[in-house]
Amino acid sequence: PGPIKLHNVIATLVGEEKPDECVIVSSHLDSWHQAQGTTDNGTGSATTMEAARILMAVGAKPKRTIKFCLWGGEEQGLLGSRGYVQRHRTEMDKVSVVYNHETGTNWAQSLVVTNAMQAQLAPVFAQVSRLLTPPDADFDGSVFSLIARSSIGGGRGGSDHASFLAVKVPGLGWGLKGRANYS
């Protein structure tokens, strides 16, 4: 009975030029009873930790700080990410973007960004788009698509990037493709 404490797990790679500004790479650590854990969201947690591992292994020196966040309590109402946003509300103008990986047994096939972000991100994702074959042999279509829109909606429900969208921080969720044996 009573409140149950939960925790976010956060690792920080401090930026060289603008250490007070940050980019967040995230997923949620908890699971729910129908997801078997690996589906929702062990895969997101693994990719978040792998991004941190790779950047550390290559000796990355980012311009801005990168925070790798595993949110607690997503399934119970975005509790970890909302708590983080509330606790750090005066710092939200220093968050450039949040990349959130949620519910996946498949590859990140798309990302919806604003028109302004598209120009910056297109050269980066052009390298991904060079992949000749999709991870699933029966998939027909682009291996990756960067989708530009005039604005990114949201801010309520969904996944943890919604907590950031609610306070006008660009929160981006990967679009996943392929087979999903969910539930």
Side-chain angles (χ1 to χ4, degrees), residues 9-93:
V9 178
I10 300 173
T12 304
L13 177 56
V14 178
E16 297 279 307
E17 294 178 34
K18 300 179 179 187
D20 59 328
E21 295 181 16
C22 77
V23 168
I24 295 176
V25 177
S26 69
S27 64
H28 67 90
L29 189 58
D30 65 329
S31 187
W32 68 304
H33 65 285
Q34 291 180 317
Q36 303 122 358
T38 56
T39 308
D40 187 1
N41 191 25
T43 53
S45 296
T47 56
T48 299
M49 291 188 296
E50 185 64 358
R53 187 197 67 76
I54 290 169
L55 290 173
M56 293 302 295
V58 300
K61 305 280 187 217
K63 183 185 287 188
R64 289 172 180 78
T65 295
I66 303 174
K67 291 187 179 185
F68 303 92
C69 303
L70 302 178
W71 309 117
E74 188 266 1
E75 300 292 357
Q76 294 73 37
L78 311 180
L79 302 177
S81 59
R82 281 186 186 169
Y84 181 89
V85 167
Q86 289 170 354
R87 181 173 283 176
H88 299 276
R89 65 187 167 276
T90 61
E91 302 162 27
M92 288 296 107
D93 62 331

